[in-house]
Amino acid sequence: MSRFLSARRATLAPYTPGEQPKDARYIKLNTNESPFPPSEQARRYAAEAAATLNLYSDPECTTLREKLAAICGVEPGEVLPTNGSDEILNFAFMAFCDDTHPAVFADITYGFYPVFAQINNVPMIEKPLRDDFTIDPADYVGHKGLVVIANPNAPTGIAKTRDEMEAIIRANPEAVVVVDEAYVDFGAESCVPLIHKYGNLLVTQTFSKSRSMAGARLGWGIACKELMADLNAVKYATNPYNVNAMTMAAGIGALADESYTRENCRTIMENREWTRQQLTALGYEVLPSKTNFLFVKHPTVSGEEIYTNLRKKGILVRHFTKERIRDYNRITVGSIEQMRAVVAALGEEAGA
Ligand code: PMP
């Protein structure tokens, strides 16, 4: 730390991203990336856009917004593309929170929410999940500021239905309710159809998981035009060219290839079910997942030991040290070959 760092930033606890090893020694199941390459159209469009990198990217993301709107069944003015969905989440904290408008979220959820709260100087209220790691709707009533719910949740993988989410949105008319749908394409119900019914709903989605574009950094928000005006004000005060030209082109290409996305999601869901069955048969406890990962615990072997031994065998998964979940590991669902390898290794851990 230099002597120039502001006192406000000195206590900042940044988000810790999953490891990105530089060698290809590992079967990498630690950051919920897709095992499949981006669609060919995405790659081709991005390569063509490289020829125009002397120009700034379109700050309005006009074509991308039109395509996203068509796919989501909303108006282009109800869509805001961002640099990963992390950016639209940060914009929401910047736009809708202050000293008297806190951010409310679960104790076990996406680890970036507390960081967004801290960097934006926003008070936060953490609501413990129930013992079975589900959200208690009674905790989400009558808040003001921002309510943030990952649905499906991470790292648990558990999803609420749209009806359950709608009840929470309705119960918080004085708060903006953010539904973070980073993993929605793997079997959960989206709240996008509700944006015309609720002026306090912001849904966020991403190209990082189902569309195999984590490295491109592309996400988007969907909300009514009034919320969009607020979020756009923050965007134009922060980084008007927040989506670079190659990423924007890749996104347009990916959206022209939705059958590829759907097919990949189907494969991941099949691989997830196969892995869940295998691990359950080996004695592991596996939470019900609607995502591209599984949250897994052995009744007697510690989470850390499993993490360390898998790593020695060349398999990277994600282990969190937080008390309530330290016995678990989060395992990304990859190709069937990767899943066979992880099941074989976990079989050895379980003494099978
Ligand atoms: N929300 C959740 C719940 C996530 O797990 C992630 C991925 N780390 C994100 C949002 C952000 O993803 P991205 O910025 O790649 O769109």
Side-chain angles (χ1 to χ4, degrees):
M1 186 195 302
S2 83
R3 64 195 165 88
F4 303 105
L5 186 67
S6 90
R8 185 179 285 172
R9 297 287 171 248
T11 54
L12 182 66
Y15 176 71
T16 317
E19 223 178 318
Q20 296 289 356
K22 297 287 173 289
D23 52 39
R25 269 188 313 130
Y26 290 101
I27 294 177
K28 196 171 171 305
L29 304 174
N30 66 332
T31 48
N32 301 340
E33 291 145 322
S34 170
F36 310 114
S39 96
E40 265 187 45
Q41 304 224 53
R43 284 183 275 169
R44 190 156 39 85
Y45 284 28
E48 284 166 15
T52 61
L53 284 178
N54 54 314
L55 304 176
Y56 282 106
S57 59
D58 172 12
E60 293 180 17
C61 304
T62 311
T63 309
L64 177 60
R65 275 193 303 117
E66 282 166 8
K67 306 277 181 207
L68 279 171
I71 281 173
C72 296
V74 299
E75 298 293 317
E78 294 165 334
V79 174
L80 175 54
T82 49
N83 191 318
S85 56
D86 281 338
E87 190 180 45
I88 185 82
L89 291 166
N90 193 24
F91 286 173
F93 279 76
M94 292 167 89
F96 305 119
C97 293
D98 58 31
D99 291 348
T100 56
H101 295 84
V104 186
F105 43 81
D107 62 339
I108 309 294
T109 188
Y110 184 32
F112 223 137
Y113 303 154
V115 182
F116 290 135
Q118 216 195 339
I119 191 95
N120 291 302
N121 261 339
V122 166
M124 55 184 166
I125 301 171
E126 285 191 343
K127 295 287 181 186
L129 296 180
R130 293 185 283 215
D131 287 346
D132 64 356
F133 293 116
T134 57
I135 281 173
D136 184 351
D139 286 334
Y140 297 88
V141 176
H143 291 288
K144 60 175 190 170
L146 200 66
V147 171
V148 191
I149 298 181
N151 194 51
N153 197 8
T156 63
I158 296 173
K160 283 209 166 308
T161 64
R162 183 185 303 135
D163 287 348
E164 290 171 312
M165 293 307 297
E166 181 169 3
I168 292 175
I169 298 158
R170 213 183 306 122
N172 291 281
E174 298 307 315
V176 171
V177 177
V178 178
V179 183
D180 174 349
E181 296 188 346
Y183 300 101
V184 74
D185 295 329
F186 302 101
E189 287 179 342
S190 174
C191 285
V192 168
L194 302 178
I195 67 140
H196 294 132
K197 204 166 161 190
Y198 297 98
N200 65 330
L201 170 63
L202 167 63
V203 180
T204 64
Q205 295 194 6
T206 181
F207 283 74
S208 294
K209 319 290 176 186
S210 56
R211 292 186 176 82
S212 303
M213 280 176 43
R217 313 304 304 125
L218 186 58
W220 75 101
I222 307 143
C224 68
K225 294 207 168 73
E226 289 75 16
L227 290 185
M228 276 296 143
D230 303 337
L231 291 161
N232 267 301
V234 170
K235 164 188 150 146
Y236 281 94
T238 315
N239 186 8
Y241 309 104
N242 61 336
V243 179
N244 76 70
M246 287 175 70
T247 289
M248 210 176 322
I252 294 164
L255 295 179
D257 210 354
E258 280 293 272
S259 56
Y260 179 72
T261 298
R262 271 195 300 276
E263 180 63 29
N264 288 345
C265 290
R266 199 162 41 235
T267 305
I268 294 296
M269 287 189 275
E270 276 171 23
N271 296 354
R272 179 181 74 204
E273 282 321 293
W274 180 83
T275 309
R276 189 186 60 77
Q277 282 170 18
Q278 298 290 317
L279 295 182
T280 307
L282 286 168
Y284 286 88
E285 288 170 30
V286 185
L287 298 192
S289 170
K290 296 275 190 204
T291 62
N292 68 341
F293 57 84
L294 291 166
F295 207 43
V296 179
K297 163 184 189 269
H298 190 271
T300 54
V301 190
S302 82
E304 189 171 5
E305 191 176 335
I306 288 174
Y307 165 80
T308 310
N309 289 342
L310 285 182
R311 202 189 155 90
K312 280 187 201 144
K313 291 177 184 158
I315 301 174
L316 271 189
V317 297
R318 188 87 196 253
H319 179 248
F320 300 90
T321 51
K322 205 166 185 168
E323 184 60 32
R324 276 189 83 183
I325 53 170
R326 59 190 305 171
D327 283 337
Y328 286 82
N329 278 288
R330 192 194 66 192
I331 304 172
T332 302
V333 176
S335 66
I336 196 67
E337 294 76 23
Q338 291 175 318
M339 293 298 99
R340 283 202 195 101
V342 81
V343 165
L346 287 170
E348 290 169 19
E349 289 311 302

